[in-house]
């Protein structure tokens, strides 16, 4: 089956620093990937759609300068949380659809804690 | 606005009990429907999906779901739960437009007592 990985699985950083999270499709190519954010005891909220070779599409209310997305290849998308603050602490999950299946495959998530 | 509601936030059952988790969506057009499961410490995994055809869909691990279009519902069922079914369950909807953008419900945390 399709496998999506994320790195790192967890990260702790100081307020004001930037953190980069990688999302990789291991055995398939993905021209589109999605980034979600999950707060404790809440659902997954779509942040943005990452498009290979073009700009990401951000959902309403998501600051594109705060959450930089780069989709440099067909198997890698990165999310950079710039100048992180404690309120950015959350669980970030990426997903990628497998062409022809209309189904998304999810990464294991990255837990970010900003001190 | 598009939305997905899961009415049961926490469910506790004993082993062998039957399970039904509710999912209702709000969307004016045609949708694809999914149930995902997230076991403790693991990533979201697809349980089952409905695109078209028979509204009763069977998934992995003995789960099934029924799409009732008139009620905008896609409830998940399992006749007899096991301790290993302890997990969080998410219903998701995506419009049939090729965007793959999911709208998730708030999730239901299921605890099965041995």
């Amino acid at each position: 089956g399709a496998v999506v990985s994320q790195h790192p699985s967890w990260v702790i950083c100081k307020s004001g620093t930037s953190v980069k999270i990688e999302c990789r499709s291991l055995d398939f190519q993905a021209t589109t990937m999605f980034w979600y954010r999950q707060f404790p005891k809440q659902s997954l909220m779509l942040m943005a759609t990452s498009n290979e070779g073009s700009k990401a599409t951000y959902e309403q209310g998501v600051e594109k300068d705060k959450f930089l997305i780069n989709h440099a290849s067909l198997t890698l998308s990165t999310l950079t949380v710039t100048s992180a603050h404690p309120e950015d602490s959350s669980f970030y999950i990426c997903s990628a659809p497998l062409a022809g299946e209309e189904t998304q495959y999810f990464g294991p998530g990255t837990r970010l804690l900003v001190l | 606005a598009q939305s997905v509601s899961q009415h049961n936030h926490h469910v506790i059952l004993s082993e062998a009990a039957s399970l039904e988790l509710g999912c209702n969506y709000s969307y004016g057009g045609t949708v694809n429907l999914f149930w995902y499961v997230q076991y403790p410490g693991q990533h979201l995994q697809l349980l089952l999906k409905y695109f078209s055809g028979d509204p009763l869909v069977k998934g992995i691990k003995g789960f099934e779901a029924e799409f009732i279009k008139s009620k905008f519902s896609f409830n998940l069922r399992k006749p007899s739960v096991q301790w290993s079914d302890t997990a969080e369950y998410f219903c998701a909807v995506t419009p049939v437009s090729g965007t793959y953008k999911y709208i998730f419900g708030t999730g239901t945390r299921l605890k099965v007592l041995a």
Side-chain angles (χ1 to χ4, degrees), chain A residues 92-110:
Chain A
Y92 293 88
I93 302 173
C94 72
S95 71
L98 187 60
E101 282 198 14
E102 296 191 56
T103 301
Q104 290 193 37
Y105 291 86
F106 289 83
T110 297

Side-chain angles (χ1 to χ4, degrees), chain A residues 59-71:
Chain A
E59 295 300 303
Q60 193 171 12
V62 177
E63 299 176 59
K64 61 180 181 180
D65 295 328
K66 172 80 172 172
F67 299 99
L68 299 179
I69 291 173
N70 186 291
H71 197 145

Side-chain angles (χ1 to χ4, degrees), chain A residues 5-6 10 17 47 84 108 112-113:
Chain A
S5 70
Q6 281 184 243
W10 59 270
T17 61
M47 298 174 65
L112 170 64
L113 177 61

Side-chain angles (χ1 to χ4, degrees), chain A residues 34 36 38 41-44 46 49 59 91 93 97 99-104 106-108, chain B residues 32 34 36 38 42-44 46 49 51 88 90 96 99-102 104-107 109:
Chain A
F34 298 90
Y36 296 84
Q38 186 180 26
K41 299 182 181 180
Q42 294 189 30
S43 186
L44 283 77
L46 179 64
T49 304
E59 295 300 303
F91 194 51
I93 302 173
E101 282 198 14
E102 296 191 56
T103 301
Q104 290 193 37
F106 289 83
Chain B
N32 293 330
F34 305 82
Y36 281 85
Q38 188 174 31
Q42 296 188 29
H43 61 279
L44 282 159
L46 180 68
K49 59 187 177 183
F51 290 171
E88 190 154 17
F90 292 93
V96 180
T99 66
Y100 300 111
K101 290 175 68 171
Y102 281 19
F104 278 93
T106 50
R109 198 174 292 270

Side-chain angles (χ1 to χ4, degrees), chain B residues 47-66:
Chain B
L47 268 181
L48 47 79
K49 59 187 177 183
Y50 173 80
F51 290 171
S52 63
D54 188 344
L56 184 61
V57 179
K58 293 193 183 299
I60 62 172
K61 305 186 180 186
F63 286 91
E64 64 178 32
E66 184 175 12

